[in-house]
Amino acid sequence: MTIGGIPDHPAECAGINEVLARVGDKWSVLVVMLLRDGPRRFNQLKRDVAGISQHMLTLTLRGLERDGLVTRTVFPTIPPRVDYELTPLGHSLRAPVEALGKWALAHQSAIKAAQRSFDARKNA
Amino acid sequence: MTIGGIPDHPAECAGINEVLARVGDKWSVLVVMLLRDGPRRFNQLKRDVAGISQHMLTLTLRGLERDGLVTRTVFPTIPPRVDYELTPLGHSLRAPVEALGKWALAHQSAIKAAQRSFDARKNA
DNA sequence: CAGGATCCATTGGGATACTG
DNA sequence: CAGTATCCCAATGGATCCTG
């Protein structure tokens, strides 16, 4: 069986699910999007992501780095400085993610309406 | 601040994150894709999704139904029969999701290579 | 400044058993 | 057949404190 031309046999399916899990985690996409205009420092990201704990920012950046989506550059100055920057692979992820974001934006009112309607029916 | 033309101020950003969370959950996307060719019954989905527990299938379908992506139709026969079918909204989600799936498929070998390289550096 | 270490609450999700 | 109910474990993620 295939999914829209995408084979879903064990190996490929698992790979795709891993990617979807990364995209679906709470912060990865947001961080990728904030890096689209160039390198950012750790605390700069921490401020801009607004709401993320430094623990989760660290984990998110490690995950993205491990997947080859982000590079980590340490400047051995005092105080230390670390820049994070999208790799070409990271940049290539932006297009499909933005497509999904636009879908979300375009339909979020419809979704919320559906939720209200569903909840109303449930409470009846 | 905006993300690729998408405003990320509190309200919109939260809405987008909810959608991404749904897409990122373990089963929703898979179920949506399996429904692309028409209605399916509960146990039919349970077989095809291969690996999902009936508990999670139920939760996933309820979530999709609540968001207006799927309709649930009960046929009051014995034994009971319930069909699930994508709504137009559900179908419209396929395009961006498939784009993401194709990205995943296209780059999964690069990602795995990056992971191996990262893990190797770490263990050195 | 950048992050490691630790502790803790919440959630996701699987297994099993039961029901109309 | 299509669920619901219950139990339980693992993963997620936040808060706080500590350090080179």
Side-chain angles (χ1 to χ4, degrees):
Chain A
M1 149 129 230
T2 65
I3 296 182
I6 301 169
D8 77 340
H9 293 294
E12 291 85 357
C13 188
I16 291 178
N17 273 344
E18 277 180 42
V19 172
L20 289 178
R22 168 151 312 293
V23 168
D25 83 11
K26 202 169 172 180
W27 304 110
S28 290
V29 165
L30 217 43
V31 169
V32 167
M33 288 307 164
L34 286 174
L35 289 175
R36 79 187 184 293
D37 292 327
R40 293 284 182 275
R41 301 179 57 174
F42 185 86
N43 274 359
Q44 206 172 353
L45 286 171
K46 183 158 159 32
R47 275 191 304 275
D48 290 348
V49 178
I52 196 172
S53 64
Q54 89 225 61
H55 182 200
M56 288 316 298
L57 180 54
T58 299
L59 286 188
T60 300
L61 288 169
R62 286 294 170 282
L64 293 173
E65 188 193 357
R66 178 168 185 266
D67 286 356
L69 301 176
V70 157
T71 57
R72 176 174 182 270
T73 309
V74 181
F75 299 89
T77 58
I78 299 181
R81 166 182 171 177
V82 180
D83 275 9
Y84 292 91
E85 183 169 16
L86 286 187
T87 62
L89 186 60
H91 277 290
S92 76
L93 178 57
R94 285 173 44 205
V97 162
E98 286 175 14
L100 204 55
K102 285 178 183 176
W103 183 91
L105 193 61
H107 298 103
Q108 66 174 330
S109 68
I111 292 175
K112 286 182 185 172
Q115 291 173 347
R116 278 193 300 274
S117 152
F118 181 93
D119 295 345
R121 269 201 312 283
K122 194 185 64 179
N123 293 340
Chain B
M1 150 127 229
T2 64
I3 295 182
I6 300 170
D8 77 341
H9 293 294
E12 291 84 357
C13 188
I16 291 177
N17 274 343
E18 278 179 42
V19 172
L20 289 179
R22 168 152 310 294
V23 169
D25 83 12
K26 200 169 174 181
W27 303 110
S28 289
V29 165
L30 217 42
V31 170
V32 166
M33 287 307 165
L34 286 175
L35 288 174
R36 78 187 184 293
D37 290 326
R40 292 285 181 273
R41 301 178 58 171
F42 186 87
N43 274 359
Q44 206 172 354
L45 287 171
K46 184 157 159 31
R47 275 190 304 274
D48 290 348
V49 177
I52 195 171
S53 63
Q54 86 224 67
H55 181 199
M56 288 316 299
L57 180 56
T58 300
L59 287 187
T60 300
L61 288 169
R62 285 295 170 281
L64 294 172
E65 187 192 359
R66 179 169 183 265
D67 287 356
L69 301 176
V70 157
T71 57
R72 176 174 182 270
T73 309
V74 181
F75 300 89
T77 58
I78 299 181
R81 164 182 172 177
V82 181
D83 275 9
Y84 292 91
E85 183 169 19
L86 286 185
T87 63
L89 186 61
H91 277 289
S92 75
L93 178 58
R94 286 174 42 205
V97 161
E98 287 176 14
L100 206 54
K102 287 179 182 175
W103 183 93
L105 193 62
H107 297 103
Q108 66 174 330
S109 69
I111 291 176
K112 285 182 186 172
Q115 291 173 349
R116 278 193 301 272
S117 152
F118 181 93
D119 294 347
R121 271 200 311 282
K122 195 185 63 179
N123 292 340

